[in-house]
Amino acid sequence: MIVVMSARADETEIKAVIARIEAGGLEAHVSRGMERTVIGAVGEERGLEAGVFEAMNGVERALRVVGDFRIVSREAQPVDAPVRIGRTVFGASGVAWLGGCAQDWSENALRVAAQAVRAAGGGLLYAGGGRGHASPYHYRALGVAELERLQEIAAEVGLGVVAELRDVRLLDAHLEAQTEALLLPPQALSNAELLREVGRVNKAVILQRDNRLTLDEWLAAAEHVALGGNHQIVLCECGRHGDAAGLDVGELAALRRRTYLPVIVAPQQAVGATAALMLARAALMAGACGLMLDCLGWAKAEAASWRGVLSGTVG
């Protein structure tokens, strides 16, 4: 059951709906958007009727949502819900973005990327989220030392930090470092325990997806986070890799019809540097609200081209 509160609903009316849900033996999950508050009732809904809630003060409408994506579904919240990460708002007007290094987290690489992000007017520096290696001999995870280095370099130029999290044991380190957001790569989205722990913290999370995950699996990962109470979720599409490199903008449009969460793309991971600009423009026209850019090695001409896209010139 999803209860959509009126834009004029006050806190007393919201609490009354929560109390009614909990009295029925269900758990209430509250999502506060810029215009409306949406309350999800999670559990066995037998005995709960939409009409009971619609008769309550402050309720605009109530509906049953069939399926596994109740909290993050477009049915639950028809209006897009922007997510603020530092000074950057994803899902509002304009093109929101973050820049950084997907694979190389050395001091030199991070400094180069930080300067590029700052020069392009960005506010967020990220590390991680690149393609994972199947070989155990090439596996790398962003640990405490890399996190500290990233935080130090970002602070030097006044940027917020977004860092990869694959291991739940490193969650406390991210909280202590006060990163602006957690970046979960595609490999981490099958880890339900990690997703639930991330859902219990008050910190934005970016969930990356590539062609190894279906749209349903992606939304299921977001639902795990939302069930923990954290609704500050941004979805990031990394596209296909290997021989079938690319990105299906039709899927992006379909996803936008299914969820109110902000959707961004990582074009360089999907197709590499050469065709990334064209792909970014197509993705923005298909409904993506922002970009995740690998700024390492930007030439002056390339940086200028990206600034045009980031300023909203996507045609």
Side-chain angles (χ1 to χ4, degrees):
M1 180 76 68
I2 297 295
V3 181
V4 181
M5 304 301 295
S6 164
R8 298 182 298 275
D10 58 32
E11 194 61 30
T12 300
E13 292 166 338
I14 293 171
K15 288 181 178 179
V17 171
I18 293 172
R20 177 66 64 88
I21 291 172
E22 292 176 345
L26 285 82
E27 195 173 348
H29 288 270
V30 183
S31 178
R32 299 179 187 272
M34 289 187 171
E35 296 183 2
R36 282 175 172 76
T37 295
V38 177
I39 306 172
V42 179
E44 177 52 62
E45 297 182 5
R46 201 171 303 162
L48 280 186
E49 296 296 335
V52 172
F53 291 99
E54 290 178 342
M56 297 179 69
N57 293 332
V59 174
E60 181 176 293
R61 60 193 177 95
L63 66 156
R64 293 185 183 277
V65 179
V66 179
D68 294 328
F69 324 120
R70 304 183 185 189
I71 299 175
V72 303
S73 71
R74 179 69 72 177
E75 292 173 285
Q77 188 161 312
V79 180
D80 291 343
V83 173
R84 179 179 293 277
I85 302 179
R87 301 188 304 271
T88 304
V89 181
F90 293 85
S93 59
V95 180
W97 67 286
L98 67 162
C101 305
Q103 301 281 11
D104 188 350
W105 312 323
S106 65
E107 181 175 352
N108 181 64
L110 289 173
R111 288 191 187 282
V112 170
Q115 292 296 337
V117 172
R118 188 63 176 167
L124 296 171
L125 176 68
Y126 79 85
R131 300 290 187 189
H133 293 285
S135 169
Y137 298 102
H138 294 93
Y139 173 80
R140 292 177 66 217
L142 193 146
V144 175
E146 291 83 2
L147 186 58
E148 291 175 348
R149 182 190 305 133
L150 172 65
Q151 191 70 272
E152 177 184 340
I153 292 171
E156 290 175 359
V157 292
L159 299 176
V161 166
V162 176
E164 176 188 286
L165 175 66
R166 298 190 190 191
D167 190 334
V168 69
R169 293 172 295 182
L170 290 170
L171 179 56
D172 286 344
H174 282 259
L175 298 178
E176 290 173 10
Q178 297 184 333
T179 54
E180 300 290 353
L182 305 169
L183 175 63
L184 271 61
Q187 307 95 301
L189 267 57
S190 59
N191 187 338
E193 292 306 316
L194 174 61
L195 294 168
R196 289 297 179 98
E197 286 300 318
V198 167
R200 295 187 180 102
V201 302
N202 184 26
K203 190 178 291 290
V205 56
I206 300 175
L207 302 180
Q208 291 184 295
R209 176 251 189 183
D210 61 19
N211 60 308
R212 290 170 290 186
L213 292 171
T214 65
L215 292 184
D216 280 0
E217 289 169 330
W218 199 11
L219 289 172
E223 190 80 3
H224 273 296
V225 175
L227 276 169
N230 184 358
H231 301 141
Q232 303 172 78
I233 304 168
V234 175
L235 303 177
C236 178
E237 173 63 87
C238 298
R240 300 184 296 274
H241 61 101
D243 294 336
L247 188 151
D248 188 339
V249 294
E251 280 195 333
L252 280 182
L255 181 69
R256 294 284 292 118
R257 291 193 295 269
R258 296 180 64 182
T259 182
Y260 60 84
L261 298 175
V263 181
I264 66 175
V265 297
Q268 291 140 315
Q269 290 197 40
V271 295
T274 305
L277 272 166
M278 181 173 60
L279 180 61
R281 293 189 178 99
L284 291 169
M285 293 177 70
C289 69
L291 302 170
M292 179 175 172
L293 301 176
D294 194 326
C295 300
L296 190 59
W298 266 7
K300 183 179 288 188
E302 186 179 6
S305 297
W306 278 113
R307 278 195 289 271
V309 174
L310 301 173
S311 67
T313 309
V314 299

